[in-house]
Amino acid sequence: MTRAWHQVATAAVLFAVPALGYAAKLDPQDAALLAARDAFEGNHRAKLGTLAPKLKDHLLEPYVEYWQLFFKLPGASTQDVRDFLSRYAGTALAEQLRTDWLKVLGRSGRWELFQAEYPALSGDDPEVTCYMLLARWKREDASVPGDFRPLWNAPRELPEGCLALARAIVKAGQLGSREVWGRFRVLVDAGLMGAAKRSMEFLPRGEAIDAKRLSAVIRAPVKFLRNPQVDLAKAADRELVIAALTLAADAEPRAAAGFWSGGLSDAFPVEDRRYVWLMLAMNGALRHMPEALDWFGEVGALTDEQLGWRARIAMRTDRWVEVRSSIERMSPLAKNDPVWIYWYGRAERELGSPLEAQGYFERIAGEHNFYGRLAAEELGVSLRIPARAPLPTESEIAEVAAIPGLARALALYRLDMRTEATREWLWAVRGMDDRKLLAAAELARRNEAWDRAIGTADRTILAHNFSVRYLAPYREVLAENGRSRDLEESWVLGVVRQESRFITGAKSSAGATGLMQVMRPTAKWVAQRMRMKNFSWTRLHEPDLNAALGTYYLRHVLDQFDGSPVLAAAAYNAGPSRARLWRGTAPVEGAIFAETIPFVETRDYVKKVMTNTVYYAAVLGTEPTPLKTRLGMVLPRRLPEGVAAIQYEPVVQ
């Protein structure tokens, strides 16, 4: 064990993660560590080897060892790998190396070693799971095809190990055309057309859809449906029609339903007719089309997701009997989700059973989430922040600071290696009790790792500190900019907590940057509107500038949407055009609007922003406004005179 492991307690407590300018303060070893990271990512093995000696006894030396060993894995000795796993046992890095090694062993067919090492893996990696199943297949385990089915039917590309297993099972005749067409449908429905095309390799020669015909349908599904030149006695042609309907329904569900009900469906087997109507119903429900409820029809068993959307379109059209019946048909697991406990209670109340409704609300009224708050308000219970648990002692903080994973995480945050840092932190806090979680949250707060402080405090079960759960770093700059735009401070903080967790250097895969996750085109537009001088993309991480741009745009979308914070939050996350379409043509209760947002990410975002707002108001001691009051009513969009409806744009989840 290196000396770095004995230095962690002191290192973690003493240093603070600077929000800005960290690169200018790097010591030579830190600079060498970043250069080593770049060498690893750039596949420069010789350069990494040259840098490694400079990082002897650095707190993050295990990363250098991992990077070097990763390059050697295909030819590494078992002893070298197990030595690393032993020295860093129980760490996130050991778990990562074990995952990497198992993939190497699977690819090279070293099954005895694979089977010896696999039980030590804690996480779940689809490719490693497939290699595990392939090892069992080699031992003639008859249960493998059934265990592989969930991976086969998942809407994603098959990694190398899963492809190898699929080919073996197909060759043995235990994965047939029916299963292949089932996967093809899943991929088309998910919009993964490249993977859908590649799934044709698993069909017998002559049974697959011709690649050119499939490409033509992908390009213009409606054109194909207007005059489908098909032989519906052939499975491939039936599947081509269903694929065209699925793609057409993504943009025009009513048009697709018209093609299907106009005589086309008569030539299809009952099972196919049921599948298409369910697909149309889901697409219609995602676009809030009232007829989607009829499209669900009486088609037998539905999945929890399908029943969820059946319930959502029913609540959107004020058909509470259907809301209740949809939830009743869900699995026990789904029924116990706070979402459906709340909506079942609402259905009971709307249908004249207040006592039954009260029982459902009482089940979740103590939970500190969107539906917990709504249920409490239905019972007339005002929000009370839980009493603050005793603050962690210095010895408790020192104890968690001595955990190597947390020390490495803070060192990684200091070097802006956020992906690795977050992985280390989450791995280290697994299974902690409330006292340790509060101590770890305080450690993160002292080191200005705001996202880890909030997320860790959020995990406690009985002992809480809501002042850390709802931290407000940069409150002054956010409040000042919010006041200048006449925005409620707690709402602005609620948005920032959800957008960036107050990390000034946060950057999304789409390019959104800073505290308020401002996109470049938005920043440019706002800067022009504000007549801002010396604006530059490189300054988007600066709290003052980011807050100015973000609050200006937040005010803009709030004004666009009649002062509705629910609509404005949806617009801030998914764009004004989508939020405008989602508001529909009739007034909708704010909670129902939030629940029926088609994008999973935006639906979750809006609920959390509104819940954050309520809790920030309580923590800051401002005038309390109930969540349901804040949600209000979402008014219908304004249609031009003589226009009955606006065409929905495609929904991508």
Side-chain angles (χ1 to χ4, degrees):
M1 185 176 292
T2 65
R3 285 191 297 111
W5 290 82
H6 298 286
Q7 300 168 348
V8 293
T10 303
V13 173
L14 292 181
F15 75 72
V17 181
L20 298 172
Y22 64 88
K25 301 177 183 179
L26 291 178
D27 65 28
Q29 270 203 318
D30 284 346
L33 189 284
L34 289 176
R37 186 272 314 270
D38 292 343
F40 171 69
E41 292 181 348
N43 199 27
H44 301 308
R45 305 186 186 199
K47 185 176 180 181
L48 179 60
T50 301
L51 290 164
K54 300 179 182 179
L55 290 156
K56 189 69 175 171
D57 295 331
H58 190 281
L59 180 60
L60 298 177
E61 184 184 6
Y63 276 82
V64 183
E65 292 184 57
Y66 166 77
W67 294 331
Q68 289 185 295
L69 188 52
F70 179 85
F71 282 140
K72 301 174 184 176
L73 271 185
S77 71
T78 302
Q79 182 59 44
D80 285 347
V81 177
R82 285 186 168 161
D83 176 59
F84 183 95
L85 296 175
S86 175
R87 284 185 294 115
Y88 303 118
T91 68
L93 265 180
E95 177 76 0
Q96 184 61 56
L97 183 74
R98 181 173 282 110
T99 301
D100 297 332
W101 192 35
L102 286 167
K103 290 178 184 179
V104 168
L105 296 175
R107 290 185 198 115
S108 58
R110 297 157 69 185
W111 299 118
E112 185 175 343
L113 195 51
F114 180 95
Q115 291 174 83
E117 196 61 39
Y118 179 78
L121 188 70
S122 299
D124 180 26
D125 181 279
E127 185 169 13
V128 173
T129 300
C130 281
Y131 280 127
M132 178 271 293
L133 292 171
L134 188 55
R136 284 170 45 193
W137 178 259
K138 299 286 185 182
R139 302 197 308 269
E140 300 183 353
D141 185 335
S143 64
V144 167
D147 291 345
F148 177 56
R149 197 64 50 82
L151 292 157
W152 172 257
N153 289 327
R156 59 177 175 236
E157 292 272 10
L158 290 174
E160 185 177 337
C162 298
L163 278 172
L165 179 60
R167 287 167 182 149
I169 298 176
V170 168
K171 186 177 180 180
Q174 295 195 40
L175 193 64
S177 299
R178 181 186 180 88
E179 289 77 22
V180 176
W181 288 123
R183 174 168 171 77
F184 176 75
R185 289 180 180 182
V186 166
L187 295 170
V188 172
D189 195 48
L192 301 172
M193 300 314 300
K197 286 181 178 180
R198 286 186 283 278
S199 70
M200 294 293 97
E201 75 162 272
F202 297 104
L203 289 167
R205 184 171 297 180
E207 289 188 20
I209 298 173
D210 177 76
K212 290 184 178 179
R213 294 182 76 201
L214 182 54
S215 295
V217 164
I218 293 169
R219 286 194 304 270
V222 173
K223 179 181 178 181
F224 169 82
L225 289 168
R226 289 195 181 109
N227 184 29
Q229 300 295 313
V230 290
D231 178 0
L232 295 179
K234 296 179 179 179
D237 282 22
R238 292 196 301 273
E239 293 298 334
L240 189 63
V241 170
I242 292 173
L245 287 163
T246 303
L247 294 170
D250 189 51
E252 304 176 57
R254 289 191 182 99
F259 287 122
W260 185 239
S261 60
L264 187 59
S265 67
D266 296 341
F268 284 75
V270 172
E271 187 177 350
D272 287 349
R273 292 203 294 270
R274 177 180 180 275
Y275 172 83
V276 172
W277 278 118
L278 280 176
M279 177 274 295
L280 293 169
M282 285 293 288
N283 275 282
L286 286 164
R287 287 152 188 80
H288 307 144
M289 295 177 179
E291 58 265 49
L293 195 57
D294 298 323
W295 293 347
F296 277 110
E298 296 297 327
V299 292
L302 302 179
T303 66
D304 286 336
E305 182 185 13
Q306 291 164 344
L307 288 166
W309 275 103
R310 188 177 188 274
R312 289 184 181 102
I313 195 61
M315 67 179 73
R316 188 94 181 200
T317 53
D318 205 30
R319 295 167 71 174
W320 291 97
V321 170
E322 300 297 343
V323 174
R324 183 172 63 183
S325 69
S326 297
I327 299 171
E328 285 174 342
R329 292 162 60 186
M330 291 180 183
S331 69
L333 183 64
K335 286 180 184 178
N336 283 309
D337 189 301
V339 175
W340 301 119
I341 291 173
Y342 173 78
W343 287 116
Y344 195 88
R346 280 290 305 276
E348 290 283 25
R349 195 193 70 187
E350 299 292 336
L351 294 171
S353 301
L355 290 178
E356 287 81 355
Q358 180 177 330
Y360 280 90
F361 296 144
E362 286 174 347
R363 288 173 58 186
I364 59 172
E367 297 182 14
H368 300 292
N369 54 44
F370 184 77
Y371 285 114
R373 279 309 317 144
L374 286 178
E377 290 175 8
E378 299 287 354
L379 297 171
V381 178
S382 300
L383 173 60
R384 290 185 180 179
I385 297 296
R388 189 182 69 184
L391 294 174
T393 64
E394 291 303 317
S395 63
E396 286 177 313
I397 296 169
E399 183 182 347
V400 295
I403 296 172
L406 296 187
R408 285 194 303 275
L410 292 175
L412 288 161
Y413 280 125
R414 178 166 56 88
L415 295 174
D416 203 34
M417 294 172 63
R418 300 198 61 82
T419 300
E420 297 87 348
T422 301
R423 184 188 301 122
E424 286 273 13
W425 189 277
L426 293 176
W427 186 267
V429 300
R430 295 176 311 149
M432 282 186 176
D433 61 25
D434 284 355
R435 289 304 303 172
K436 281 192 173 181
L437 287 170
L438 291 174
E442 175 61 15
L443 175 67
R445 188 194 68 79
R446 292 183 180 188
N447 284 276
E448 299 183 19
W450 313 121
D451 55 341
R452 291 304 101 216
I454 291 169
T456 306
D458 228 4
R459 288 171 169 251
T460 58
I461 307 299
L462 297 174
H464 304 298
N465 186 341
F466 272 58
S467 295
V468 180
R469 277 198 190 193
Y470 291 91
L471 278 174
Y474 310 106
R475 180 184 175 188
E476 185 175 333
V477 68
L478 289 166
E480 180 183 349
N481 280 279
R483 281 193 298 272
S484 72
R485 308 292 174 207
D486 196 22
L487 296 172
E488 184 184 0
E489 180 185 10
S490 59
W491 186 53
V492 174
L493 291 170
V495 169
V496 176
R497 185 182 190 269
Q498 200 56 33
E499 286 288 351
S500 69
R501 287 287 200 268
F502 300 95
I503 300 302
T504 59
K507 189 169 184 178
S508 75
S509 58
T513 300
L515 285 176
M516 300 192 71
Q517 290 290 276
V518 182
M519 296 288 288
R520 280 191 174 191
T522 302
K524 182 179 180 181
W525 179 80
V526 171
Q528 290 172 342
R529 291 281 293 257
M530 293 177 69
R531 294 184 172 86
M532 188 176 288
K533 297 179 180 179
N534 302 319
F535 170 73
S536 168
W537 311 122
T538 60
R539 296 181 56 212
L540 278 179
H541 64 277
E542 296 177 12
D544 288 357
L545 177 67
N546 198 279
L549 297 170
T551 53
Y552 184 100
Y553 186 67
L554 201 55
R555 179 76 250 177
H556 171 72
V557 292
L558 189 65
D559 290 341
Q560 267 197 318
F561 292 102
D562 309 317
S564 166
V566 178
L567 274 167
Y572 195 87
N573 180 261
S577 63
R578 291 191 176 100
R580 195 171 295 114
L581 292 169
W582 295 339
R583 69 193 300 185
T585 56
V588 180
E589 180 189 330
I592 293 176
F593 174 86
E595 183 54 50
T596 56
I597 290 173
F599 288 17
V600 174
E601 177 189 329
T602 305
R603 185 162 68 246
D604 183 64
Y605 174 89
V606 170
K607 292 178 187 179
K608 287 182 176 175
V609 164
M610 297 308 297
T611 308
N612 291 347
T613 303
V614 171
Y615 278 96
Y616 269 116
V619 168
L620 299 177
T622 58
E623 188 67 27
T625 302
L627 177 57
K628 197 165 186 177
T629 302
R630 291 179 178 277
L631 294 169
M633 293 292 293
V634 172
L635 300 178
R637 63 177 181 263
R638 300 181 185 89
L639 298 178
E641 188 175 347
V643 176
I646 296 176
Q647 179 61 50
Y648 279 85
E649 56 193 37
V651 172
V652 180
Q653 294 205 68

